Amino acid sequence: MTTPSLAGRAAISARTLRTDRWWLPPLFTALGLLAWVAYATVRAFMQKHYFVEQYEYLTPFYSPCVSTGCVEASSHFGQFLPDVWWLPYAALTLPFLLLFRLTCYYYRKAYYRSFWLSPPACAVAEPHASYSGETRYPLLGQNLHRYFFYAAVAISLINSYDAIRAFVTADGEFGFGLGNIVLLTNVVLLWAYTVSCHSCRSLIGGRLNHFSQHPVRYKLWGWVSRLNERHMALAWTTLASLAITDFYIMAVSAGWFSDPRFIN
Ligand code: FES
């Protein structure tokens, strides 16, 4: 008797028998990712309109601002990178953020499908003749995701610090405006995305034989698992919240409109 694993694929010459518009999701994914990367690249190298000194609003794209070109009040962690046009002011953290997202399980699926067409959709044959998965260089490096997770936690802490610090105006008074809500919302979403990471879930609930003997970890694992179910949605929501937060701060900093203030 032939087992299913030995039977191989059915000999169907058509690339797919799907009749729905299966190409729409990968197309929208590619357009969305390209648009975000284009915006983020322009902003990361713009080197202006990243800080509202009066309200201590610092965009996450420039945090921490560690270049000697940064406005002094925006540099909460010192200035030690040279001020050259090709080096983003937050060059210390941006590569790690990029690598964290690039190796994320969800984004892998997204760009494998949308850019490499490997495969472009379920039940649609890929154009490549062979498939080695993530067993060889360079895709073997995707395994480093678990380490980039720690970097992402550190960066989320820095973003949280920025959001909290923005409640104190340049005059040293408590202040609260729409920008605070934007910064805070972004940080909460960033934490939700970071904590919903598959590496975080296995860090909390992995390597245990009996959940019954670890009730706290079991509880945490349950919470993280619920967030993990929404990881794809959080991946997109945080791309949007990062861009909106950055755009808001750029607009206030450039004087396109004033930040509505509720207190001070
Ligand atoms: Fe997406 Fe870790 S799996 S951030």
Side-chain angles (χ1 to χ4, degrees):
M1 196 174 102
T2 311
T3 60
S5 60
L6 293 176
R9 287 183 169 174
I12 298 171
S13 56
R15 192 172 169 211
T16 181
L17 298 180
R18 284 180 68 168
T19 54
D20 61 330
R21 289 187 289 177
W22 56 264
W23 44 270
L24 268 182
L27 177 67
F28 283 143
T29 302
L31 292 177
L33 290 178
L34 283 173
W36 194 90
V37 168
Y39 175 83
T41 306
V42 169
R43 281 295 290 145
F45 289 96
M46 191 181 274
Q47 300 185 343
K48 60 180 180 181
H49 304 319
Y50 56 89
F51 185 56
V52 180
E53 191 155 359
Q54 191 181 359
Y55 306 132
E56 297 270 347
Y57 293 162
L58 177 64
T59 162
F61 285 7
Y62 283 73
S63 176
C65 211
V66 290
S67 164
T68 52
C70 295
V71 175
E72 207 173 324
S74 71
S75 298
H76 305 141
F77 299 91
Q79 299 183 333
F80 44 85
L81 289 184
D83 180 16
V84 281
W85 67 266
W86 48 266
L87 197 61
Y89 284 0
L92 194 64
T93 48
L94 288 183
F96 291 103
L97 271 185
L98 188 67
L99 288 167
F100 181 56
R101 297 252 171 183
L102 212 58
T103 56
C104 162
Y105 287 36
Y106 166 66
Y107 288 112
R108 280 191 233 177
K109 172 191 157 191
Y111 63 76
Y112 286 170
R113 289 194 171 193
S114 302
F115 294 101
W116 293 356
L117 311 177
S118 180
C122 287
V124 180
E126 60 180 281
H128 313 286
S130 64
Y131 175 78
S132 61
E134 295 173 340
T135 57
R136 280 194 243 149
Y137 180 81
L139 292 186
L140 195 58
Q142 303 280 29
N143 283 310
L144 295 172
H145 182 68
R146 70 195 73 169
Y147 303 110
F148 297 137
F149 166 75
Y150 296 113
V153 168
I155 295 166
S156 293
L157 284 172
I158 293 171
N159 291 150
S160 306
Y161 173 79
D162 293 337
I164 292 167
R165 197 180 163 111
F167 282 103
V168 181
T169 66
D171 304 329
E173 311 232 315
F174 174 78
F176 181 45
L178 183 58
N180 292 99
I181 296 175
V182 172
L183 277 166
L184 213 53
T185 306
N186 179 52
V187 158
V188 169
L189 288 169
L190 285 180
W191 273 116
Y193 169 70
T194 308
V195 168
S196 71
C197 169
H198 293 62
S199 296
C200 176
R201 185 168 175 263
S202 92
L203 197 70
I204 289 177
R207 292 173 179 265
L208 292 179
N209 288 329
H210 307 285
F211 265 138
S212 58
Q213 289 168 12
H214 302 273
V216 175
R217 286 182 67 180
Y218 179 61
K219 194 87 190 155
L220 290 173
W221 179 80
W223 290 340
V224 167
S225 295
R226 278 202 286 281
L227 272 179
N228 181 259
E229 288 167 14
R230 293 167 179 76
H231 194 58
M232 180 180 92
L234 285 165
W236 281 105
T237 311
T238 46
L239 285 189
S241 73
L242 278 165
I244 290 169
T245 305
D246 176 75
F247 186 83
Y248 185 88
I249 291 172
M250 173 170 67
V252 175
S253 167
W256 298 343
F257 63 81
S258 304
D259 181 47
R261 304 298 292 174
F262 312 120
I263 303 172
N264 289 322

